[in-house]
Coordinates of all heavy atoms in Angstrom, one line a residue:
Y529 N 169.4 -20.9 183.0 CA 170.9 -20.7 182.9 C 171.1 -19.3 182.8 O 170.4 -18.4 182.5 CB 171.4 -21.4 181.5 CG 171.5 -22.8 181.6 CD1 170.5 -23.7 181.0 CD2 172.7 -23.5 182.0 CE1 170.6 -25.1 181.0 CE2 172.7 -24.8 182.0 CZ 171.7 -25.7 181.5 OH 172.0 -27.1 181.5
T530 N 172.5 -18.9 183.0 CA 173.0 -17.5 182.9 C 173.9 -17.5 181.7 O 175.0 -18.2 181.8 CB 173.6 -17.0 184.2 OG1 172.7 -17.1 185.3 CG2 174.1 -15.6 184.1
I531 N 173.8 -16.5 180.9 CA 174.6 -16.3 179.7 C 175.1 -14.9 179.6 O 174.3 -14.0 179.7 CB 173.8 -16.6 178.4 CG1 173.5 -18.1 178.3 CG2 174.7 -16.3 177.1 CD1 172.7 -18.5 177.1
L532 N 176.5 -14.7 179.6 CA 177.2 -13.4 179.3 C 177.3 -13.3 177.9 O 178.0 -13.9 177.2 CB 178.5 -13.5 180.1 CG 179.3 -12.3 179.9 CD1 178.7 -11.0 180.3 CD2 180.7 -12.5 180.6
I533 N 176.8 -12.1 177.4 CA 176.8 -11.7 176.0 C 177.9 -10.5 175.9 O 177.5 -9.5 176.4 CB 175.5 -11.4 175.4 CG1 174.5 -12.5 175.5 CG2 175.8 -10.9 173.9 CD1 173.1 -12.2 174.9
A534 N 178.9 -10.7 175.3 CA 180.0 -9.7 175.1 C 179.8 -9.1 173.7 O 180.2 -9.8 172.8 CB 181.3 -10.1 175.4
E535 N 179.1 -8.0 173.6 CA 178.9 -7.4 172.3 C 178.7 -5.9 172.2 O 177.9 -5.4 173.1 CB 177.4 -8.0 171.8 CG 176.9 -7.5 170.5 CD 177.9 -7.7 169.4 OE1 178.0 -8.7 168.8 OE2 178.4 -6.7 168.8
D536 N 179.5 -5.2 171.6 CA 179.5 -3.8 171.5 C 178.4 -3.1 170.6 O 178.1 -1.9 170.8 CB 180.9 -3.2 171.3 CG 181.2 -3.6 169.8 OD1 181.2 -4.7 169.5 OD2 181.6 -2.6 169.1
E537 N 177.9 -3.9 169.7 CA 177.0 -3.4 168.7 C 175.5 -3.5 169.6 O 175.1 -4.7 169.7 CB 177.0 -4.0 167.3 CG 178.2 -3.8 166.7 CD 178.2 -2.4 166.0 OE1 177.0 -1.9 165.9 OE2 179.2 -2.0 165.6
E538 N 174.9 -2.5 169.6 CA 173.6 -2.5 170.5 C 172.5 -3.3 169.6 O 171.8 -4.1 170.2 CB 173.0 -1.1 170.6 CG 171.7 -1.0 171.5 CD 171.3 0.4 171.6 OE1 172.0 1.5 171.2 OE2 170.1 0.5 172.0
A539 N 172.5 -3.3 168.3 CA 171.5 -4.0 167.4 C 171.7 -5.5 167.6 O 170.9 -6.2 167.7 CB 171.5 -3.5 166.0
N540 N 173.0 -5.8 167.6 CA 173.3 -7.3 167.7 C 172.9 -7.7 169.1 O 172.5 -9.1 169.2 CB 174.8 -7.5 167.5 CG 175.2 -7.3 166.0 OD1 174.2 -7.3 165.1 ND2 176.4 -7.1 165.7
F541 N 173.2 -7.1 170.1 CA 172.9 -7.5 171.5 C 171.4 -7.7 171.5 O 170.9 -8.5 172.2 CB 173.4 -6.6 172.5 CG 173.0 -6.8 173.9 CD1 173.4 -8.1 174.6 CD2 172.0 -6.0 174.4 CE1 172.9 -8.3 175.8 CE2 171.5 -6.3 175.8 CZ 171.9 -7.4 176.4
F542 N 170.8 -6.6 171.1 CA 169.1 -6.6 171.2 C 168.6 -7.8 170.6 O 167.7 -8.4 171.2 CB 168.8 -5.3 170.6 CG 167.2 -5.2 170.7 CD1 166.6 -5.0 171.8 CD2 166.3 -5.3 169.5 CE1 165.2 -4.9 171.9 CE2 165.1 -5.3 169.5 CZ 164.4 -5.0 170.7
L543 N 169.1 -8.2 169.4 CA 168.6 -9.4 168.8 C 168.8 -10.7 169.6 O 167.9 -11.5 169.7 CB 169.4 -9.5 167.4 CG 168.8 -10.6 166.6 CD1 167.4 -10.6 166.1 CD2 169.7 -10.9 165.3
L544 N 170.0 -10.9 170.2 CA 170.3 -12.0 171.0 C 169.5 -12.1 172.3 O 169.0 -13.0 172.7 CB 171.9 -12.0 171.3 CG 172.7 -12.3 170.2 CD1 174.2 -12.1 170.7 CD2 172.5 -13.7 169.7
E545 N 169.3 -10.9 172.9 CA 168.5 -10.6 174.0 C 167.1 -11.0 173.8 O 166.5 -11.8 174.6 CB 168.5 -9.3 174.6 CG 167.9 -9.1 176.0 CD 168.1 -7.6 176.5 OE1 167.9 -6.8 175.6 OE2 168.1 -7.5 177.6
M546 N 166.6 -10.6 172.6 CA 165.1 -11.0 172.2 C 165.0 -12.5 172.2 O 164.0 -13.1 172.6 CB 164.7 -10.3 170.9 CG 164.6 -8.9 171.0 SD 163.1 -8.2 171.8 CE 162.0 -8.7 170.6
W547 N 165.8 -13.2 171.6 CA 165.9 -14.5 171.5 C 166.1 -15.3 172.7 O 165.4 -16.3 172.9 CB 167.0 -15.0 170.3 CG 166.8 -14.7 169.1 CD1 165.5 -14.5 168.4 CD2 167.6 -14.7 168.0 NE1 165.8 -14.2 167.1 CE2 167.1 -14.3 166.9 CE3 169.1 -14.9 168.0 CZ2 167.7 -14.3 165.6 CZ3 169.7 -14.8 166.8 CH2 169.0 -14.4 165.5
L548 N 167.0 -14.9 173.6 CA 167.4 -15.8 174.8 C 166.7 -15.3 176.1 O 166.6 -16.1 177.1 CB 169.0 -15.6 174.8 CG 169.7 -16.1 173.7 CD1 171.1 -15.9 173.9 CD2 169.5 -17.7 173.4
S549 N 166.4 -14.1 176.3 CA 165.8 -13.7 177.5 C 164.7 -14.4 178.2 O 164.5 -14.5 179.3 CB 165.5 -12.1 177.6 OG 164.5 -11.8 176.6
E550 N 163.9 -15.0 177.4 CA 162.7 -15.8 177.8 C 163.3 -17.1 178.5 O 162.5 -17.6 179.3 CB 161.8 -16.1 176.6 CG 160.6 -16.8 177.1 CD 159.7 -17.2 175.8 OE1 160.0 -16.5 174.8 OE2 158.7 -18.0 176.1
F551 N 164.4 -17.5 178.1 CA 164.8 -18.9 178.5 C 165.9 -18.9 179.5 O 166.3 -19.8 180.2 CB 165.3 -19.7 177.2 CG 164.3 -19.7 176.1 CD1 164.4 -18.9 175.0 CD2 163.1 -20.5 176.3 CE1 163.4 -18.8 174.0 CE2 162.2 -20.4 175.2 CZ 162.3 -19.7 174.1
C552 N 166.7 -17.8 179.6 CA 167.9 -17.7 180.5 C 168.1 -16.2 180.9 O 167.5 -15.4 180.3 CB 169.0 -18.2 179.9 SG 169.5 -17.6 178.3
E553 N 168.8 -16.1 182.0 CA 169.3 -14.7 182.5 C 170.4 -14.3 181.6 O 171.4 -14.9 181.4 CB 169.7 -14.9 183.9 CG 170.1 -13.5 184.5 CD 170.5 -13.7 186.0 OE1 170.2 -14.7 186.6 OE2 170.9 -12.7 186.5
I554 N 170.3 -12.9 181.2 CA 171.2 -12.4 180.3 C 172.1 -11.3 181.1 O 171.6 -10.5 181.7 CB 170.5 -11.7 179.1 CG1 169.7 -12.7 178.4 CG2 171.6 -11.0 178.2 CD1 170.5 -13.8 177.6
L555 N 173.4 -11.3 180.9 CA 174.3 -10.4 181.4 C 174.9 -9.8 180.2 O 175.3 -10.5 179.1 CB 175.4 -11.1 182.3 CG 174.9 -11.8 183.5 CD1 176.1 -12.3 184.4 CD2 174.1 -10.7 184.4
H556 N 175.1 -8.5 180.1 CA 175.8 -7.7 179.0 C 177.0 -7.0 179.2 O 177.2 -6.3 180.3 CB 174.7 -6.7 178.5 CG 175.2 -6.1 177.3 ND1 174.7 -4.8 177.0 CD2 176.0 -6.5 176.2 CE1 175.2 -4.4 175.8 NE2 176.0 -5.4 175.3
A557 N 178.0 -7.2 178.4 CA 179.3 -6.5 178.4 C 179.5 -5.8 177.1 O 179.2 -6.4 176.1 CB 180.4 -7.5 178.8
N558 N 179.9 -4.5 177.2 CA 180.0 -3.6 176.0 C 181.4 -3.8 175.4 O 181.6 -3.4 174.2 CB 179.8 -2.2 176.4 CG 178.3 -2.0 176.6 OD1 177.4 -2.0 175.6 ND2 177.9 -1.6 177.7
N559 N 182.3 -4.4 176.1 CA 183.6 -4.7 175.6 C 184.4 -5.9 176.3 O 183.8 -6.4 177.2 CB 184.5 -3.4 175.8 CG 184.6 -2.9 177.2 OD1 185.2 -3.6 178.0 ND2 184.0 -1.7 177.4
G560 N 185.4 -6.2 175.8 CA 186.2 -7.4 176.6 C 186.5 -7.2 178.0 O 186.5 -8.1 178.6
E561 N 186.8 -5.9 178.3 CA 187.3 -5.6 179.6 C 186.1 -5.9 180.7 O 186.3 -6.5 181.8 CB 187.8 -4.2 179.7 CG 188.5 -3.9 181.2 CD 189.1 -2.6 181.3 OE1 190.3 -2.4 180.8 OE2 188.3 -1.6 181.6
E562 N 184.9 -5.4 180.1 CA 183.7 -5.7 180.9 C 183.3 -7.0 181.1 O 182.9 -7.5 182.1 CB 182.6 -4.8 180.5 CG 182.6 -3.4 180.7 CD 181.3 -2.6 180.1 OE1 180.3 -3.4 179.8 OE2 181.4 -1.4 179.9
A563 N 183.6 -7.7 180.0 CA 183.3 -9.2 179.9 C 184.1 -10.0 181.0 O 183.6 -10.8 181.8 CB 183.6 -9.8 178.6
V564 N 185.4 -9.6 181.1 CA 186.2 -10.2 182.2 C 185.8 -9.9 183.5 O 185.6 -10.7 184.5 CB 187.8 -9.9 181.9 CG1 188.6 -10.4 183.0 CG2 188.2 -10.4 180.6
S565 N 185.5 -8.6 183.7 CA 185.1 -8.2 185.1 C 183.8 -8.9 185.5 O 183.6 -9.3 186.6 CB 184.9 -6.7 185.0 OG 184.4 -6.2 186.1
I566 N 182.7 -8.9 184.6 CA 181.5 -9.4 185.0 C 181.7 -10.9 185.2 O 181.1 -11.5 186.2 CB 180.4 -9.3 183.8 CG1 180.1 -7.7 183.6 CG2 179.2 -10.0 184.1 CD1 179.3 -7.4 182.5
F567 N 182.4 -11.7 184.4 CA 182.6 -13.0 184.6 C 183.1 -13.4 185.9 O 182.8 -14.4 186.6 CB 183.5 -13.7 183.5 CG 183.9 -15.1 183.8 CD1 183.0 -16.1 183.4 CD2 185.1 -15.4 184.2 CE1 183.4 -17.3 183.7 CE2 185.6 -16.7 184.5 CZ 184.6 -17.7 184.3

Side-chain angles (χ1 to χ4, degrees):
Y529 285 103
T530 300
I531 295 178
L532 169 59
I533 302 176
E535 174 62 70
D536 62 311
E537 292 287 342
E538 183 178 348
N540 290 343
F541 170 73
F542 178 68
L543 182 62
L544 291 170
E545 185 182 36
M546 290 286 290
W547 285 342
L548 301 175
S549 59
E550 181 182 348
F551 310 101
C552 54
E553 183 180 349
I554 301 296
L555 300 176
H556 182 210
N558 287 294
N559 55 62
E561 188 176 271
E562 285 186 16
V564 175
S565 177
I566 293 173
F567 173 74

